[in-house]
Amino acid sequence: MDVTFSHRIPEHLRPSRLAAARARVGRVPFDLTETNPTRVGIALPGGVLAALADPRGATYRPEPRGPRAAREAIASEYAALGSDVDPDRLVLTASTSEAYGFLFRLLADPGDVVLVPTPSYPLVEHLARLDGVATASFALDPDAAWRIEPSSLAMAPERTRSAIVVHPNNPTGSHVHPADRDLLVETCRDRGWALIADEVFLSYPLRGDGRSPTSFAGEDRCLTFSLGGLSKSCGLPQLKAAWIVASGPDDEVATALERLEWIADAALSVSTPVAEGLPEILAASRSRSEAILARCRANLTALEAACRVVPEVTVSAPDGGWSCVLRVPRLVDDEQLVLTLLEDDGVAVQPGYLFDLPGDGWLVLSLLPREATFSDGVERLLARVERLVRDA
Ligand SMILES: Cc1ncc(COP(=O)(O)O)c(C=O)c1O
C-alpha cells in the first residue's frame, strides 16, 4: 500500500508557468523581484561576522526565551523607535516564519482560523496550513490607501482565534492607519482574539522625516504579539534570528509567555553564536540598515519621477518597507504582461495576484535592486506599457 501524505502540503508542487519561464530564461538583466538584501551590493559591516566569533558562542547554555543580553538589546532598538518593551516579554526565534508557527501552535487548534489581510505577504497562508490552521481574509481597500474594509473584519468565521496585520504591509507598503489600529485592537479584545503584528519592515519609513510609525509592541488593550527580525531590520536573513514581543492584559501575557517558552523549549532553534552576538550584531549593522533605507528611498523617488510622465501607470504610494505596487492598464492579463517583460525586455517583476491584489492591472516591484538596474528596468517596463497602450 502507498503511504498517504498530510494535507498540510499542497497537492501539486509543480513550478508555476512563471517559475518555469524564469528557469528557462536564466539570468535576468533587470531583476526587480530581488528581495534578498545579501545580493544587491550593500556592504556587510565587518563587525557582524566578528560578533559570531565571540568565545561565548563556544558553550551551550539553552535558554528558551534567548539570552537576556540579546533581549535587552532588542528592547533598546524598540526604545529608539519610541516603544517601551520589557525584555522579559520577549522570545527569540530563528526567523519570523518560525515565530508565526510558534504563535499558531500557541493560539489555535487544528481547524481554527487566523484572519489575514488581503493583499499581503503570501507565505502566511502556507505557514498557517503547515500548522493545521485555516486562514480567512479581511480586505484592504485599494481605493482608500489600503485601509481596512470593516465589513470584511465583521464577517470573520466563528472559529477565528487571531488576526494578523502587517505594518508596513508587504507588498503595498501601507502603514496601519491609527483608526484601523483601534478597530483591529477593539475587535480582537471584544471577540477574544489575539493580534499578531508583523513589523519586520517597521524601521524602513519611506516618507517624511524618517520616523518609523508607532509599533504595536506595548499595545495593552488586547493580547498582542509583535514580530521583528534580523532578516529585514538589519538585512541579515542568513543569520536566522527574530523575535516575538508580547503585550496586553498582564494575566493573558503571563500565560502566553509561559506557553510560548514551552514551545520554544521544544525546539531551542536559535543558534548560540547568533543569540550571544546579537547586541554587537545589532550595533554593527546600523550602517547596513541605513544603506538599505537610502536605497529604497532613492529607487522610489526614481520610480515616481519616471511614472509621472507615463499617465497610464500609477505608483500606489508606499509608506514604508522594501516593495511597491504599480497600477497598470488592464490590456493583457498580469501574467502575460510579466512574461512579456521577462522574455522580451529582460525585466522581472511580480504579478499582483501572487499577493492577492484584486483582479488584473497590478505589478509588484522590489525597491532593493541597485539604482542603475532599477531605473533601467523601470524605463523598459514603462516603454512596454506605452507600446501596449499604443497598439491597443
Ligand atoms: C512581511 C514579512 N514577514 C515575514 C517575513 C519572513 O521573515 P524571516 O526571514 O524572518 O522569516 C517576510 C519575508 O519576506 C515578510 O515579507
Side-chain angles (χ1 to χ4, degrees):
M1 242 172 83
D2 286 349
V3 168
T4 46
F5 292 99
S6 123
H7 289 97
R8 290 162 191 252
I9 320 286
E11 199 174 335
H12 300 296
L13 295 173
R14 283 189 297 273
S16 65
R17 193 171 158 220
L18 215 53
R22 278 297 292 257
R24 211 171 41 244
V25 166
R27 207 190 81 77
V28 183
F30 307 99
D31 185 357
L32 310 188
T33 66
E34 183 58 88
T35 52
N36 181 340
T38 67
R39 284 201 304 230
V40 289
I42 290 182
L44 179 68
V48 171
L49 293 183
L52 298 175
D54 189 289
R56 282 170 304 173
T59 313
Y60 187 42
R61 284 182 302 275
E63 290 174 87
R65 292 190 195 191
R68 176 141 185 116
R71 289 182 280 120
E72 281 173 358
I74 294 164
S76 303
E77 298 288 309
Y78 280 97
L81 296 175
S83 292
D84 188 15
V85 165
D86 178 351
D88 287 333
R89 292 182 162 204
L90 236 151
V91 178
L92 258 59
T93 61
S95 66
T96 317
S97 299
E98 185 183 63
Y100 272 117
F102 282 13
L103 292 172
F104 295 147
R105 281 168 241 165
L106 173 74
L107 299 166
D109 284 317
D112 283 345
V113 176
V114 57
L115 284 189
V116 296
T118 302
S120 195
Y121 177 51
L123 189 65
V124 172
E125 201 176 320
H126 299 298
L127 293 171
R129 183 169 166 167
L130 280 172
D131 275 303
V133 178
T135 51
S137 64
F138 63 94
L140 306 181
D141 185 351
D143 299 318
W146 309 106
R147 295 282 308 273
I148 294 174
E149 286 180 15
S151 59
S152 65
L153 204 54
M155 286 184 320
E158 199 176 314
R159 289 191 65 179
T160 300
R161 297 286 174 266
S162 56
I164 292 173
V165 66
V166 184
H167 177 54
N169 193 24
N170 174 7
T172 60
S174 44
H175 289 153
V176 177
H177 189 281
D180 285 356
R181 176 181 176 136
D182 288 344
L183 173 70
L184 271 169
V185 167
E186 283 157 18
T187 307
C188 286
R189 186 196 55 203
D190 295 348
R191 311 228 6 210
W193 304 340
L195 182 60
I196 300 171
D198 178 335
E199 300 186 326
V200 295
F201 293 113
L202 191 74
S203 51
Y204 294 97
L206 295 172
R207 309 260 166 214
D209 60 3
R211 288 206 0 218
S212 291
T214 310
S215 165
F216 279 77
E219 173 59 61
D220 58 8
R221 290 172 286 173
C222 70
L223 183 60
T224 305
F225 301 97
S226 311
L227 311 185
L230 293 189
S231 150
K232 311 293 185 225
S233 70
C234 299
L236 298 170
Q238 73 277 38
L239 261 51
K240 307 307 293 181
W243 49 84
I244 302 170
V245 182
S247 63
D250 287 341
D251 53 339
E252 288 186 16
V253 171
T255 309
L257 280 170
E258 195 182 14
R259 286 163 183 246
L260 260 184
E261 181 167 337
W262 194 86
I263 297 169
D265 197 23
L268 293 171
S269 53
V270 182
S271 126
T272 301
V274 174
E276 293 289 357
L278 210 69
E280 291 77 21
I281 291 167
L282 288 168
S285 51
R286 221 148 269 145
S287 60
R288 181 172 172 80
S289 320
E290 283 163 14
I292 293 174
L293 178 60
R295 169 74 59 83
C296 291
R297 283 183 162 226
N299 281 340
L300 179 59
T301 304
L303 176 67
E304 289 181 327
C307 290
R308 225 166 275 136
V309 289
V310 182
E312 295 87 358
V313 177
T314 42
V315 182
S316 174
D319 300 314
W322 295 1
S323 60
C324 180
V325 169
L326 283 190
R327 199 154 207 177
V328 294
R330 282 171 255 189
L331 299 169
V332 290
D333 71 52
D334 288 353
E335 182 160 284
Q336 190 49 55
L337 176 58
V338 169
L339 283 169
T340 305
L341 285 164
L342 181 68
E343 288 165 349
D344 297 353
D345 301 319
V347 179
V349 293
Q350 306 273 27
Y353 69 77
L354 284 183
F355 301 83
D356 280 333
L357 279 141
D360 280 313
W362 301 101
L363 298 178
V364 175
L365 272 56
S366 166
L367 295 171
L368 276 192
R370 289 174 167 85
E371 278 99 333
T373 308
F374 186 84
S375 53
D376 288 354
V378 166
E379 196 178 307
R380 284 162 176 253
L381 186 164
L382 296 178
R384 170 62 59 184
V385 171
E386 284 184 306
R387 209 168 315 148
L388 285 170
V389 171
R390 227 177 18 247
D391 297 347

